[in-house]
Structure formats: C-alpha cells, structure tokens
Amino acid sequence: EVRMKRTLKDLRELKGLSQEEVAEALGMHQQAYSVYERGASVPSIRKAKEIADFFKVKLDDVDWEVK
C-alpha cells in the first residue's frame, strides 16, 4: 500500500496553526521551524520525532526531503 507523505505545512494547516504556534509548542524559534517546513534542512531524528508526535503522525508519514 502506497501512502502519500504529508509535508509539515500540510500537517500544520490541517490543525489550523501558525508556524509561530507550532514552533512555540515544540520549544523552538519560528525561524528554525520554518527551515524544516520549507525543506531547507532536515531536523535531527530526536527533533523529527518530537514534530511527528506533535502532529500525531508516524515519522514515515512525513515528507522530510530537502527541497
């Protein structure tokens, strides 16, 4: 079964949250979160797990690719 991976932006918008709100909930600066959402950089495994847990998805369900 092939499942579509969701971008961080998709996940955030589905929750109706701003980047600032997500970043604050994760204990990071909005600029740092924005880098991950734009695909300019990939978070550490630990931070990626925190982000996935926040959105209540599995690590594999998120598109972590650097754009």
Side-chain angles (χ1 to χ4, degrees):
E1 172 192 348
V2 177
R3 295 192 357 201
M4 274 295 288
K5 290 183 181 264
R6 294 224 181 245
T7 65
L8 291 177
K9 184 176 182 181
D10 288 342
L11 292 167
R12 178 177 59 78
E13 289 179 343
L14 282 170
K15 283 194 170 271
L17 298 172
S18 69
Q19 284 187 355
E20 185 70 42
E21 290 168 319
V22 173
E24 189 175 312
L26 294 168
M28 59 195 300
H29 292 286
Q30 181 270 330
Q31 294 93 329
Y33 174 77
S34 175
V35 167
Y36 302 146
E37 189 171 290
R38 289 194 323 267
S41 181
V42 178
S44 68
I45 287 291
R46 197 178 99 238
K47 185 54 79 177
K49 178 99 175 72
E50 285 177 33
I51 294 169
D53 287 349
F54 174 78
F55 286 119
K56 296 180 173 44
V57 296
K58 295 178 185 164
L59 273 175
D60 289 349
D61 292 338
V62 182
D63 177 2
W64 298 108
E65 234 173 86
V66 174
K67 310 292 185 263

